[in-house]
Amino acid sequence: MSRSILIRGGRVIDPSQEIDERTDVLIVGDQIAALGREAAGAADEVIDASGWLVTPGLIDMHVHLREPGYEDKETIETGTAAAAAGGFTAVACMPNTDPPLHSDAEIEFVLRTAELTAQTRVYPIGALTKNRAGQQLAEIGLMVKAGAVAFSDDGEGIADTGVCLRAMSYVSQFDRLFIQHCEDKSLTRGGCMNAGLTATRLGLPALPAIAEVIMAQRDITLARQAGVRYHVAHVSAAGTVDLVRRARQEGLPVSAEVCPQHLLLTEEMCARYDANCKMNPPLRSQSDLQACLEGVRDGTIGCLVTDHAPQVNSEKELGFQDAPFGIIGLETALPLFIRALIESEVLDWPRLIAAMSTCPAQLLGVPGGMLKVGGPADVTLIDPEAEWTIDAERMRSKSRNTPFDGWPVRGRAAMTIVGGELRYRVQGN
Ligand SMILES: [Zn+2]
């Protein structure tokens, strides 16, 4: 007999079925077996979820797990342990590893390693071009067969327009998602923070917002021709939000994602030369931040992601100009999105869960994102009122690079269930 778990009395939110009510969820084995009154009865384990939200497992479609090649920063094991602690039941990992995920062999390596060590589901994203160098197309067809769910050269945008169009056409043949890190490097070389007053005052070289906007603009023109499902990674600039909004109004299959840092922090954070505020795309202006919030509010930006980018301490201590880009995010995303979006009433809970689960599941074409009977038992239990303080030292990630260390926050994952197995339970509850 399969093991059963009854989650009793929580506020069950499933945007895919427009459910938002206090009820029960029954898990049998690795599937959702019943919802509502049918769920009542005996079970091997009963979880009292009163006061908690019961939602489809959160899915982060933009994560750097660093394995293979950079295991000093993160591994599939530690990255997914961090993900589970953040309430995520699945992550999609970017291909900027060493070697990069640019052929079926690396995709298979990630999936095999995940099977042995991961705490969540792992969906590899394949590179678009060999070595992510933007010249020759990678083995996209073979990677699809091996299990790549989407394609991106993340960390790099494809500069060569011809290569980009060919990559789009190829990806569209397999109906996979094309994810672009929008950055025209001819405008950003050597830059370390947003182009603006703060950079001028500090005398630091900059990454202007138009570097993002110009590539998104070109890409939308190309995507219209290629018929590809096109997704802008980590939107940070007001101009990009406008472009995506207009493309969607036209009916194009264009989508976008945003990270918590671009909804909460601005370029002034860099004034103290804290390398944990150095990321790419960089923290931008207050008007860019407002535009991103507005994009989330009106549905232009449908996905919330972390861009979890672990870096070892010694490298982040090199000083602002020399330190590598990126911050970790898996263990802080949920309370930070609560602060940025729920507390400010940009989104209600069902829409937040849609953006952190249902929407990424649909874009990637992966299971989950819903609590349908017969579907996978990937469930996140959220304590929306828990007050706690972010403490980088207590994180499961191997790295500590976060600008949110010490922030008092509200809301956290209470339990994370992946395929019917409890993978995380908050301490002290
Ligand atoms: Zn990127």
Side-chain angles (χ1 to χ4, degrees), residues 3-338:
R3 233 181 98 71
S4 57
I5 305 173
L6 178 63
I7 304 168
R8 188 185 278 160
R11 176 181 168 188
V12 176
I13 297 174
D14 178 359
S16 80
Q17 305 181 79
E18 291 181 23
I19 294 172
D20 181 4
E21 61 182 77
R22 195 162 303 287
T23 190
D24 302 337
V25 176
L26 179 68
I27 294 170
V28 176
D30 59 4
Q31 292 185 348
I32 305 286
L35 289 180
R37 228 175 273 158
E38 284 89 67
D44 298 322
E45 186 182 350
V46 177
I47 296 169
D48 176 10
S50 44
W52 290 353
L53 313 180
V54 181
T55 76
L58 306 181
I59 299 170
D60 187 349
M61 64 181 286
H62 194 139
V63 169
H64 299 274
L65 290 176
R66 302 300 194 206
E67 187 176 358
Y70 304 104
E71 290 84 355
D72 52 338
K73 301 173 197 268
E74 198 77 284
T75 63
I76 290 169
E77 182 174 5
T78 59
T80 57
F88 294 99
T89 57
V91 297
C93 59
M94 285 296 175
N96 58 337
T97 49
D98 184 19
L101 313 183
H102 60 177
S103 78
D104 49 343
E106 294 86 23
I107 299 294
E108 282 161 8
F109 168 83
V110 168
L111 290 172
R112 214 169 39 240
T113 308
E115 217 167 278
L116 296 173
T117 67
Q119 295 295 315
T120 66
R121 298 181 200 273
V122 174
Y123 299 116
I125 295 172
L128 287 160
T129 65
K130 285 191 180 144
N131 294 311
R132 300 170 42 256
Q135 301 295 321
Q136 278 175 286
L137 292 194
E139 313 263 20
I140 290 169
L142 290 175
M143 285 191 277
V144 167
K145 268 201 199 123
V149 296
F151 291 89
S152 178
D153 274 358
D154 186 44
E156 300 285 336
I158 299 185
D160 186 300
T161 304
V163 172
C164 189
L165 181 58
R166 278 200 298 284
M168 283 182 175
S169 305
Y170 217 59
V171 169
S172 80
Q173 281 175 34
F174 297 99
D175 193 31
R176 287 300 194 268
L177 189 68
F178 182 108
I179 304 172
Q180 186 85 292
H181 167 116
C182 289
E183 179 184 358
D184 182 328
K185 290 233 161 145
S186 69
L187 295 167
T188 62
R189 220 156 272 137
C192 64
M193 66 169 292
N194 185 45
L197 279 180
T198 311
T200 308
R201 194 155 47 79
L202 301 178
L204 289 174
L207 305 116
I210 53 160
E212 177 180 299
V213 178
I214 200 86
M215 188 170 279
Q217 184 159 37
R218 177 203 70 173
D219 281 2
I220 289 168
T221 303
L222 295 176
R224 188 186 284 117
Q225 164 137 343
V228 73
R229 293 191 294 122
Y230 175 77
H231 184 80
V232 184
H234 41 53
V235 166
S236 69
T240 315
V241 181
D242 280 341
L243 286 167
V244 173
R245 181 178 292 120
R246 272 185 274 142
R248 291 174 64 85
Q249 281 165 354
E250 230 188 278
L252 293 173
V254 171
S255 54
E257 60 182 39
V258 69
C259 308
Q261 57 268 27
H262 295 117
L263 300 175
L264 287 167
L265 307 177
T266 59
E267 59 194 347
E268 281 93 52
M269 288 287 291
C270 304
R272 275 174 295 155
Y273 299 97
D274 176 0
N276 285 332
C277 296
K278 180 177 177 180
M279 57 206 80
N280 187 6
L283 300 174
R284 299 209 189 268
S285 69
Q286 187 62 33
S287 60
D288 290 306
L289 182 152
Q290 287 300 332
C292 289
L293 285 172
E294 201 42 52
V296 174
R297 187 198 305 273
D298 73 9
T300 299
I301 301 173
C303 289
L304 301 172
V305 302
T306 64
D307 192 7
H308 178 80
Q311 303 288 6
V312 291
N313 277 348
S314 54
E315 289 180 11
K316 273 292 193 187
E317 283 158 7
L318 287 173
F320 199 87
Q321 245 181 295
D322 298 319
F325 292 107
I327 64 170
I328 55 172
L330 287 165
E331 291 165 86
T332 52
L334 182 57
L336 294 175
F337 283 130
I338 290 172

